[in-house]
């Protein structure tokens, strides 16, 4: 989950499928290279070790490597806590950004006057108004809503 949240956030901002190449190239690949998957983090310079300890993969490796090698775990609560924090922050951010991308606010006039409110301009919506809903469209137009609010 701590890796899926940021990926979903990237999906919320991606204008096309090709945009994921940036995510993979700039974030995922360096994380795999520097997080201690292939060589020990202790061989990195001190500033790089600090940066690597912020990445979620280094904490996952710190949990899994001792279990596989049959060694005792060191600071398991810290590592699990960091992974849970990444998962929660990623989930919340993904939820916010995906909702912004998928749920488009529509007015009552837009819903009754056109089938595709996000593709049409306001003048086109008025032109497509059917006789059954034209009165509802006029009542719920922004100008009509302001006028009704001023009368109250």
């Amino acid at each position: 989950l701590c890796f899926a949240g940021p990926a979903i956030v990237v999906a919320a901002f991606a204008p096309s499928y090709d945009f994921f190449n940036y995510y993979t190239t700039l974030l995922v690949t360096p994380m795999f290279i520097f997080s201690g998957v292939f060589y020990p983090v202790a061989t990195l310079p001190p500033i790089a070790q600090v940066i690597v300890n912020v990445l979620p993969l280094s904490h996952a490796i710190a949990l899994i490597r001792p279990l596989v090698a049959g060694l005792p775990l060191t600071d398991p609560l810290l590592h699990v806590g960091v992974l849970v924090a990444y998962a929660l922050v990623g989930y919340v951010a993904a939820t916010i950004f995906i909702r912004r991308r998928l749920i488009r606010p529509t007015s009552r006039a837009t819903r009754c006057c056109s089938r595709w409110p996000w593709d049409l301009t306001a003048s086109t919506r008025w032109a497509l108004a059917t006789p059954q809903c034209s009165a509802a469209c006029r009542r719920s137009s922004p100008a009509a809503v302001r006028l009704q609010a001023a009368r109250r």
Side-chain angles (χ1 to χ4, degrees):
L1 292 176
C2 62
F3 300 103
I8 296 172
V9 169
V10 171
F13 290 109
S16 68
Y17 182 75
D18 296 330
F19 189 79
F20 286 103
N21 290 333
Y22 297 119
Y23 175 69
T24 304
T25 304
L26 298 175
L27 295 175
V28 175
T29 303
M31 185 170 53
F32 274 112
I33 292 172
F34 296 115
S35 289
V37 174
F38 303 113
Y39 56 87
V41 176
T43 60
L44 295 172
I47 188 73
Q49 290 179 19
V50 171
I51 294 170
V52 165
N53 285 327
V54 174
L55 300 173
L57 186 58
S58 62
H59 293 281
I61 291 169
L63 285 173
I64 294 171
R65 183 168 281 152
L67 293 174
V68 171
L71 301 172
L73 289 173
T74 58
D75 297 329
L77 293 178
L78 169 72
H79 300 305
V80 170
V82 169
L83 293 174
V84 168
Y86 267 100
L88 289 176
V89 169
Y91 175 76
V92 169
T95 303
I96 291 169
F97 292 124
I98 287 292
R99 279 186 183 164
R100 285 185 188 171
R101 178 158 181 157
L102 295 181
I103 300 174
R104 299 167 197 237
T106 58
S107 68
R108 190 169 142 204
T110 304
R111 283 194 303 269
C112 75
C113 296
S114 82
R115 291 177 46 198
W116 306 284
W118 51 88
D119 290 338
L120 304 174
T121 63
S123 59
T124 309
R125 283 188 216 122
W126 286 101
L128 290 175
T130 60
Q132 295 85 8
C133 73
S134 61
C137 291
R138 284 192 297 272
R139 281 194 307 271
S140 61
S141 71
V145 170
R146 283 194 300 273
L147 182 63
Q148 289 173 357
R151 289 181 182 166
R152 291 182 194 158

